[in-house]
Every structure is written in structure tokens, then in C-alpha cells.
Amino acid sequence: MRFTLRQLEYFIAAGETGSIAQASDRINISSPSISTAISQLEQELGVQLFVRHHAQGLSLTPAGRVMLAEAKRLIEQAEALYSAATATSEEVRGQLNVGCLTTLAPMILPELSLSFMSAFPKASIRPFADHQETLLSGLHKATIDVAITYDLQIPLDIDFTPLVDLPVHALFGETHPLARNSAVTLQELIELPLILLDMPISTEYFMALFLKEGLQPTIGFRFSQPDVIRTMVANGYGYTLANVTSRSDQALDGRRVTRVRLAGDHRPMTIGVATLKQLRKSRLLAAFSAHARAFISDSYIPGMVAPAMGQKRR
């Protein structure tokens, strides 16, 4: 279609008043603009809408009367569309596509989503879990509306609101000699087999910890599945480094792991809310972001041991 809603509005004004001049006064648009719009509309539709009477105004043709009724119906539908969009932006309702980093999703996503939908019954969450590159791509392509993720390689066109810092720690099987330590250093770990989380961006983060101190770890295994790494550690195949601190100390096979603080000054991972800067924030998205900020903090992280140990969520 090569006609516009504006042309239809000019046509309706002329059809209802029977005069270009009166239509001009009614909608505050110049007479030549209305005449041109009507001529373009007739040409596009291939019908004559008016009979022009010299000095006596306009009268609708039979085709024009049909078109007037249909044009008014179309304008009403367009106005309803704007009303629906306005209602969506002003009321917390509708579906939100929420992405979450794979390593965080099992702990954070279920409880956060459920609490949000309980607070806003007309809203629903469609969850997604993936690695960092896919989440950032999803924000750019608008396949997800918001992401709960780490502050790793966030591009300039993404807004990132920090929620909580997660320090890095070492994870051992419960019978490992270092599992009884209160802390370990990277120097103590370099000769031991590291079971490395092999995911885009995350791998670079963990390797950078060693590189900063001029060390080279001994990589025993690489896996992209956190649960496989946790079970391998629990069975004594080596240690791993992690920022996620699950409340459970059990691997999937029932064996236990022990978390030990990594001594030294190491960059933490920061969990935050990521959205596309150019995206106009609906009330639904704003409400979810505010809910996440209130729900995740140093004193409480869904599914995890929070950095502020011993504090309970109020």
C-alpha cells in the first residue's frame, strides 16, 4: 500500500464536510495539501472519490461513500493500536523475554522470575539461558528484552546495572588436601590439574587471573557444562575456579565439593541487568529491572551463598 493514514484523515475530513475549505478549517491543514492528498489517494486506489462542483464544494461518488466508511474504520483501528501500545507501556503486563548466563541460570532465573510474576500477576517471563556472546547478540537482535549476566565485555550500546560482586574461589573435592584450607593462592594451584570452564569470555576471565601474576595453570580438562565440572571435581579429577557459590555442596552424583577462598587481589565477576540502550523501556521492563535490583544484593542471591554470609533476606 502506497497511501498513508494522513491521506485518509484528509479524505475523511473532506468527505464529512463536503468542502476542501471547511476540511482545511476543521483539521488546520492548508487546502492545497488536502487537494493533493485526495488526488494521490484517488490515483493510488484507481477510483474517483468525489465529484467536484465549481464553487459548490464536493460530493462523494458511490465508491467514495464506501471508501469513507472503510477509511473511518481503518483510522479507528489505528487509534486502537496506539491505545494498546500506550496501555502496554503504562501497565505492568505482558510477556518479557529474559536471558540469563548459563552458569547463573539454574540458581537465579527460577526464583527471580517466580517472584516477579507473583508481584505482577499480569506479567509473564519467558526464560532463556545461554553464554555471554549469545545473550549480547540477543539484546542487539531484540530476541530477548533483558539479560541477567556478568560484566564481561559489555559493549557501549548496552546498559549494564550492577547488582552484586562475586569473588572468585577454588573448588575441591571434599577429600582433597587443600579442601581444609581457609584460603589458597594461585601459586599453590598451578601444578594441579585445572578443570576449566570452556565457555566464550568466561575462559578468558579465568586464564587472565593467572596471567596477571605471570603464572601458567596446568589444564587437565575443559568442559562447557558447569555440572560436569562440579562432578569431576567432586570425584577428585582436579580443582576448578568459580564465582558462582551454590547453596548445595553436592554434585549431581551425590559426592560433595568444598569451596575455598582464593587469596589475593582478583577481579570479581559482577552480576547485573543488561538492556539495549536504544530500546525504549516499557513499564514492564522497568518494573523487572527494579525488581531485580531489589531482589539481588550482597545479602541475598537466589540459589547462592551471598557474599555477606550469615545475613538473611528481610
Side-chain angles (χ1 to χ4, degrees), residues 87-213:
T88 300
S89 65
E90 293 180 352
E91 185 178 4
V92 181
R93 63 183 302 165
Q95 178 179 282
L96 197 67
N97 298 320
V98 178
C100 191
L101 197 67
T102 300
T103 52
L104 301 174
M107 276 73 70
I108 289 181
L109 198 52
E111 187 178 346
L112 177 62
S113 299
L114 183 61
S115 66
F116 179 73
M117 289 187 289
S118 296
F120 302 98
K122 293 185 179 181
S124 63
I125 298 293
R126 187 181 182 194
F128 298 87
D130 220 313
H131 55 72
Q132 186 80 333
E133 288 182 348
T134 302
L135 293 181
L136 296 176
S137 175
L139 290 174
H140 285 128
K141 295 178 180 178
T143 55
I144 59 173
D145 303 302
V146 59
I148 305 296
T149 188
Y150 287 136
D151 61 334
L152 294 177
Q153 297 187 21
I154 302 295
L156 294 177
D157 60 352
I158 297 293
D159 274 327
F160 183 85
T161 303
L163 299 177
V164 62
D165 290 338
L166 298 185
V168 64
H169 59 270
L171 204 66
F172 302 98
E174 63 177 341
T175 61
H176 193 284
L178 294 179
R180 295 185 292 271
N181 289 20
S182 60
V184 293
T185 65
L186 289 177
Q187 185 67 51
E188 294 176 273
L189 297 176
I190 57 172
E191 300 298 330
L192 304 176
L194 168 62
I195 306 177
L196 183 64
L197 178 62
D198 193 10
M199 292 178 62
I201 302 179
S202 295
T203 300
E204 287 83 350
Y205 165 79
F206 290 116
M207 293 302 293
L209 299 176
F210 292 95
L211 183 62
K212 180 184 175 184
E213 299 193 9

Side-chain angles (χ1 to χ4, degrees), residues 5 72-89 280:
L5 294 178
K72 291 172 70 174
R73 185 176 296 113
L74 183 57
I75 292 297
E76 288 173 358
Q77 291 174 340
E79 290 173 347
L81 181 64
Y82 277 110
S83 297
T86 300
T88 300
S89 65
R280 183 173 179 268

